[in-house]
Amino acid sequence: MYVLIAAAGQGKRMGHDRNKLLLTLQGQPILAWTLARVLHAQPKWVGVMAQPADWPAIQTILTHLAPPLPVDIIPGGDTRQASVWNGLQALPPAADTVLIHDGARCLASPALFHRCQAALSTAIGVIAAIPVKDTIKVVPNPPVIAQTPERAHLWAAQTPQGFQVTILKACHAQALAQQWQVTDDAALLERCQYPVQVVLGEDTNLKITTPPDLLIAQALLNHGL
């Protein structure tokens, strides 16, 4: 298992002027929780894409975690897509599959990483996802609703997302050449006409984006998650 962690964001929606992954959750940076979950899954290699300004703080986290394997810190890009491209270039030559995980999803279980990795034995691409619980409205011109999609067909995407490395690199290269912008790597494979398989995710695998998310994560940890 080879894992790339996207950690190059700025945390604007969190209301801070620094990387939200360096904010504390029960006394530890959010990224420390994420790394601990990833490392518990016993990967062969881990790479963290981050902005150079955050590297000293990440090195401090790694010193405290004392991981059983070296963790490479990779320059982050201006977008998540650019960061993943940088991470793909840093993969060890032996990596034929890769799991990509958002650093802000600090509560993903090690078992979820193993389920995604196992699915790659027969799939080109996989994503963790869960069925949506809310009714979704399409509102292209607020405040008027244009459509209400059938909820039974809607899933909320999570990470990790896993891919065959050769195909993912080719899709990223095509995106660069044609200036595509996507919000996750699954969308990139979809655009290149490759099938992406869903692996059942976890309700507790929330992405910490806003201050209320931090409170929810705190509550989940207080209950022993």
Side-chain angles (χ1 to χ4, degrees):
M1 182 189 301
Y2 298 83
V3 183
L4 288 170
I5 300 175
Q10 297 179 350
K12 292 180 180 178
R13 283 180 288 179
M14 187 62 78
H16 286 265
D17 57 359
R18 63 183 303 210
N19 190 334
K20 66 184 177 185
L21 301 186
L22 301 179
L23 300 177
T24 56
L25 175 62
Q26 285 198 344
Q28 297 185 65
I30 293 169
L31 183 58
W33 290 100
T34 305
L35 279 164
R37 298 294 177 106
V38 171
L39 291 167
H40 191 61
Q42 299 183 320
K44 295 179 180 177
W45 177 89
V46 176
V48 179
M49 292 88 73
Q51 301 299 341
D54 295 331
W55 288 11
I58 295 173
Q59 289 285 10
T60 299
I61 291 171
L62 291 172
T63 298
H64 289 153
L65 283 176
L69 75 166
V71 174
D72 289 351
I73 303 178
I74 302 158
D78 293 335
T79 64
R80 184 185 188 280
Q81 185 174 327
S83 293
V84 172
W85 173 251
N86 290 349
L88 290 174
Q89 310 317 303
L91 280 173
D96 54 358
T97 63
V98 63
L99 296 182
I100 300 170
H101 188 57
D102 288 338
R105 292 189 183 273
C106 62
L107 301 181
S109 73
L112 181 57
F113 286 89
H114 285 293
R115 291 202 299 273
C116 290
Q117 182 63 43
L120 283 174
S121 64
T122 57
I124 292 172
V126 303
I127 69 166
I130 56 173
V132 301
K133 299 175 181 177
D134 298 324
T135 297
I136 304 299
K137 303 292 185 180
V138 178
V139 190
N141 297 299
V144 179
I145 296 169
Q147 183 183 359
T148 303
E150 175 55 53
R151 185 172 61 187
H153 300 157
L154 299 176
W155 289 62
Q158 300 181 344
T159 66
Q161 301 185 359
F163 307 94
Q164 303 293 330
V165 169
T166 301
I167 290 175
L168 183 58
K169 282 184 174 180
C171 291
H172 268 273
Q174 188 172 348
L176 279 172
Q178 301 190 27
Q179 297 185 328
W180 295 343
Q181 292 294 324
V182 295
T183 54
D184 70 359
D185 297 278
L188 190 53
L189 258 72
E190 294 164 39
R191 194 156 186 175
C192 292
Q193 304 299 308
Y194 287 107
V196 180
Q197 177 179 317
V198 167
V199 173
L200 184 62
E202 299 166 338
D203 288 331
T204 51
N205 183 20
L206 80 160
K207 183 178 182 181
I208 296 181
T209 304
T210 62
D213 297 329
L214 202 58
L215 295 176
I216 295 170
Q218 178 82 35
L220 288 168
L221 287 171
N222 287 342
H223 282 80
L225 178 68

